Amino acid sequence: MVTHIDRRKAYYLMIDTETTNSSADGKVDRTNALCYDIGFAVIDKKGNIYESYSFVVDEVFFGMADIMTSAYYADKIPKYLEDIVDGNRTVANRYEIHATIKMLIEKYQIVAVVAHNALFDYSATNATQRYITKSKYRYFFPYGTVFYDTLKMAQDTICKQKSYQSFCFANGYVTKHKTPRPRATAEIIYKYITGQHDFSESHTGLEDVLIEAKIFAHCMRQHKKMRKNLFQNVEKF
């Protein structure tokens, strides 16, 4: 547990969610997705971790067992149950998870909540909030929270590098468009920046947060003009 916070540093809250309502190909309608796994960590711009949490959402994981069978990663349910028993994940309700996030935002004076393809996590957490509370509460994060998107950041920095483009074409990490383009998933970018070409993304909340924190730090080190804010176009570093 952190006992001293260096106020000279800027702190960020990295988040990743896993949701129900996935189709057979793994695609999700983010406006209807319900979070059963929410992982997050307080980080700085270098990717250092200060606190981390792995929550299984009680109302969804246990309270909607029939819906859980639609989750693209439903085969991971036994591992979740094992992790819960072992104390590696905590079962909590929506209110408790929201309260923990609010506490961290206030405690560290969080600059921004960060996610890869942040619109998905932003939308899914709101959808979960509205579903569980029957729209009594519509927004999961506190009013005024700033959101950064490492997908945008990477597209404006890492993905523009010729070496990244060559890496993607050499390994088939390209879109299926008529004119293929390098893909920019967290897994592919992580493989590139670490050289771990056999890496496979866990697709569990906190574990994915830890790799996305490294992507965030890598982008920040570029000191280049990039888009960061989810709801704005272009920002200077």
Side-chain angles (χ1 to χ4, degrees):
M1 181 65 65
V2 174
T3 57
H4 173 73
I5 299 174
D6 186 349
R7 293 299 178 191
R8 294 170 298 178
K9 291 185 176 181
Y11 298 95
Y12 306 85
L13 187 69
M14 196 91 208
I15 184 168
D16 185 82
T17 62
E18 299 301 325
T19 67
T20 63
N21 297 341
S22 300
S23 61
D25 61 0
K27 293 182 179 178
V28 182
D29 178 357
R30 57 181 169 76
T31 61
N32 293 315
L34 298 177
C35 303
Y36 62 83
D37 175 3
I38 301 179
F40 47 91
V42 176
I43 65 172
D44 59 24
K45 69 178 184 179
K46 295 182 179 180
N48 296 313
I49 307 292
Y50 295 87
E51 293 190 43
S52 63
Y53 297 80
S54 178
F55 284 119
V56 172
V57 184
D58 190 19
E59 296 96 328
V60 179
F61 191 89
F62 290 106
M64 303 178 188
D66 55 334
I67 295 177
M68 276 299 298
T69 61
S70 71
Y72 182 57
Y73 298 106
D75 61 329
K76 293 184 180 291
I77 290 176
K79 182 62 167 66
Y80 275 96
L81 294 173
E82 180 183 321
D83 286 347
I84 291 168
V85 171
D86 291 343
N88 296 323
R89 300 188 196 280
T90 301
V91 179
N93 62 38
R94 173 210 60 88
Y95 175 80
E96 292 168 328
I97 300 169
H98 176 271
T100 302
I101 287 175
K102 185 174 183 291
M103 176 273 293
L104 291 174
I105 288 175
E106 294 173 352
K107 177 180 177 180
Y108 287 90
Q109 298 177 12
I110 294 295
V111 172
V113 171
V114 188
H116 196 79
N117 190 17
L119 184 59
F120 178 86
D121 299 282
Y122 172 82
S123 300
T125 50
N126 286 341
T128 306
Q129 175 94 326
R130 294 169 190 180
Y131 188 93
I132 292 174
T133 68
K134 295 179 170 57
S135 288
K136 181 178 180 180
Y137 302 105
R138 296 187 59 78
Y139 296 97
F140 186 78
F141 290 93
Y143 178 78
T145 300
V146 175
F147 295 88
Y148 283 1
D149 187 353
T150 54
L151 175 58
K152 290 184 176 182
M153 295 171 67
Q155 286 172 334
D156 290 348
T157 55
I158 299 169
C159 298
K160 288 186 175 181
Q161 297 170 0
K162 290 183 179 179
S163 55
Y164 178 77
Q165 295 170 11
S166 297
F167 169 76
C168 287
F169 278 100
N171 290 281
Y173 302 143
V174 294
T175 63
K176 295 181 180 179
H177 299 148
K178 185 175 181 180
T179 304
R181 294 176 296 177
R183 294 171 58 207
T185 67
E187 179 178 295
I188 294 169
I189 293 172
Y190 185 79
K191 287 182 179 183
Y192 170 75
I193 65 176
T194 63
Q196 299 178 34
H197 296 180
D198 59 348
F199 173 79
S200 181
E201 195 172 10
S202 173
H203 293 296
T204 49
L206 181 58
E207 288 76 7
D208 289 356
V209 160
L210 299 180
I211 72 164
E212 289 163 13
K214 294 185 182 300
I215 293 171
F216 174 74
H218 194 88
C219 290
M220 294 293 276
R221 285 199 300 271
Q222 306 304 304
H223 295 283
K224 293 182 181 294
K225 187 176 181 180
M226 72 182 86
R227 294 168 298 163
K228 295 198 294 287
N229 196 306
L230 173 60
F231 299 111
Q232 292 180 352
N233 192 14
V234 177
E235 292 185 0
K236 291 184 178 179
F237 177 80

